[in-house]
Amino acid sequence: MAKIHEVAEAAGVSISTVSYALSGKRTISAETRRRIEQAVRELDYRPNAGARMLAGRRTNIFALTEPFRADTYAPAHMAFVLATSIAARRYDYDVLLLTEEQASAGMRRVARSGLADAVLVLDVAPDDERVELARHLDIPSVFVGVPNDHDGLVCVDLDFEAAAGLAVDRLADAGHRTIGLLGHPAAAYHRSNFPPRVRAGFERRARERGLADTVELPEFGGARRVAVRAALGVLLDRGVTGIVLHCDEEAHVAALDELAARGLRVPDDVSVVSVGSTFDTSSMQPPLDVLPLVPQASCDLAVDLAMQLLSDAVPPPGVRLVAPVYHDHGSVAPPGRR
Amino acid sequence: MAKIHEVAEAAGVSISTVSYALSGKRTISAETRRRIEQAVRELDYRPNAGARMLAGRRTNIFALTEPFRADTYAPAHMAFVLATSIAARRYDYDVLLLTEEQASAGMRRVARSGLADAVLVLDVAPDDERVELARHLDIPSVFVGVPNDHDGLVCVDLDFEAAAGLAVDRLADAGHRTIGLLGHPAAAYHRSNFPPRVRAGFERRARERGLADTVELPEFGGARRVAVRAALGVLLDRGVTGIVLHCDEEAHVAALDELAARGLRVPDDVSVVSVGSTFDTSSMQPPLDVLPLVPQASCDLAVDLAMQLLSDAVPPPGVRLVAPVYHDHGSVAPPGRR
DNA sequence: CCGTGGTGTCGAAGCGCTTCGATACGCAAG
DNA sequence: CTTGCGTATCGAAGCGCTTCGACACCACGG
């Protein structure tokens, strides 16, 4: 592996000139820069990571804490990890994966050994042990997700509440007066930070628009299909004509199957809107309107904020909500043909 | 963050003594070691990662290349990433995640900057671009999976061929004379390294045991269920009484549903064995016998090998196959009641 | 002509650790 | 009493980079 000293020699300049040329922190004449860049290319030079960390007090590494649990829904989490990694690369940062069940241990270890410049916190629980730790860590952190107690933290997330509100609006605008939310199982409301926000947004907007609303949280203990069937039954019995779906892909499919089995067509008999999905609802049978959760949107912003936290223009703590976007796939229509 | 110098001071010894006490590379008296350990605890000391890399020529980091593709089956891949991370922690190693589509770029970058001590290669394709690169890299690598051309590489994997062979044996031992393999879609046979090995093991053992065998690779282009139904139809039409399943969870479920729909009971009418699954087949309806792919087994071994490659007792290149284990859940019985 | 300020480059001092060789000590053997 | 050796510890030299302050040079105005 070539070293900066060899580059300097090849370019006929001093070591420090090479360093400045590469970092751009001091002006270097065009000609000198050209020679240095050529030497770098010829020698296939890349600064040694350890030396850079030690001298520069920059590791160019983000720690990513993602405490994989048994019940973790893999596809969504993988999408977030991937999106974070891609976002980090834009700034020439790499991602160190912390997966230990004792999430705090990893964060503390990495911070104390100066292995990372900042911590990105994924899969945030409403009452997350990492919140308290983040406050006392000596490197900055960004939460992708909003814990209950987020005082002094920098958080990024989709505005789930607004998303649910827009879903309700769409149904109300189409003329529905009785709507229902088919949500994640009740347990998810303690484990994850966003289901409660969807529910709150749903209920608030329903109230504001004067709609009758019902919330059903199927228990997936046994067969998923059975639970979804039961929940859907409750909603339909109450005369629901518009349904907001906030659950995983399997439950979506099960719900659509069940509607079909009951002879109900979407959107002719029932209107459906999906909220906060990370999977593709546009190729379902039928395609569903959706206000998706886009990992890239949150992760790009999270990485941007992390970079700012490392600069001297430190942004203030607070929650940054990403505005939801409505994608129309034709699953909402006026009620009443039933 | 405390530094080694402060630890030395607190323990009343020199810096080098602290270093040796912590690394164990020279003998330190029990009493001195005690004082040092106490100082470390009190100061909450952790060696600075950058300094360690620079001076020690050890980064304590493994790079993990996992080129997430659109068609990646998330749960299995996540399981491997997690297993690797856990295995690495046993040696106080952290994992740096390389996800770039251009997988080689990340490997090269990390190797050239000395960011990692070794590369762990996941999600290996039969004709993987990382193979050639690994040969020319100046840090060692371990492949979890076996590429076609694995000359000079260190590879670890489940012995898929043996697993398929054992599955066939089980069916043959139970008295089945006509068996079928319901495999991954044909495309997977180019993308991944193990489907061909399962197929080869299946066909070879079937031949050895004198069985009639059929291989069906459903195309999941449209609805999964439809494809699985068709493939299963072909197998049953040919008089298959024993089925080996080597496909994803969804296809398993679809296959069992389809059997039930045809009024065929497992194992009374048809025997079924699952091969190389990472998901739980014991809680399916009905529970299925399985020769599972256990991420932990492969990843533990891969990390062990990586550590050896970093030691002076460098193991020879070659393929290390993990022996498959048969888990009986009662889905195989003698044929003929049909 | 000298002073002034901007521009481009260099030398050297670290960053915090590991590790080599040297040293000091005590103890058994000669 | 010296010699030799093993044990426990120390000092100092890097590891490869960043960055600070210094300096040389040139163009400009006075």
Side-chain angles (χ1 to χ4, degrees), chain B residues 106-129:
Chain B
M107 279 171 72
R108 192 175 283 120
R109 178 166 50 80
V110 162
R112 284 225 323 277
S113 63
L115 225 188
D117 293 334
V119 180
L120 302 172
V121 183
L122 295 195
D123 193 11
V124 177
D127 180 16
D128 204 297
E129 58 165 339

Side-chain angles (χ1 to χ4, degrees), chain A residues 14 16-17 26-27 29 32 55 57:
Chain A
S14 76
S16 52
T17 302
R26 281 200 186 175
T27 49
S29 72
T32 305
R57 331 200 117 282

Side-chain angles (χ1 to χ4, degrees), chain A residues 25 37 48 57 64 70 72 83 88 90 124 164 179 189 193 198 202-203 222 247 260 263 279 281 293 300 327:
Chain A
K25 295 195 178 171
E37 279 165 359
N48 176 81
R57 331 200 117 282
L64 186 64
T72 293
R90 292 185 326 206
V124 176
I179 63 174
Y189 285 70
N193 68 85
V198 169
F202 173 85
E203 291 177 333
C247 43
F279 42 87
T281 63
L293 168 59
D300 279 0
H327 294 264

Side-chain angles (χ1 to χ4, degrees), chain B residues 244-255:
Chain B
V244 173
L245 248 33
H246 177 58
C247 43
D248 65 19
E249 185 165 13
E250 223 174 319
H252 273 66
V253 172

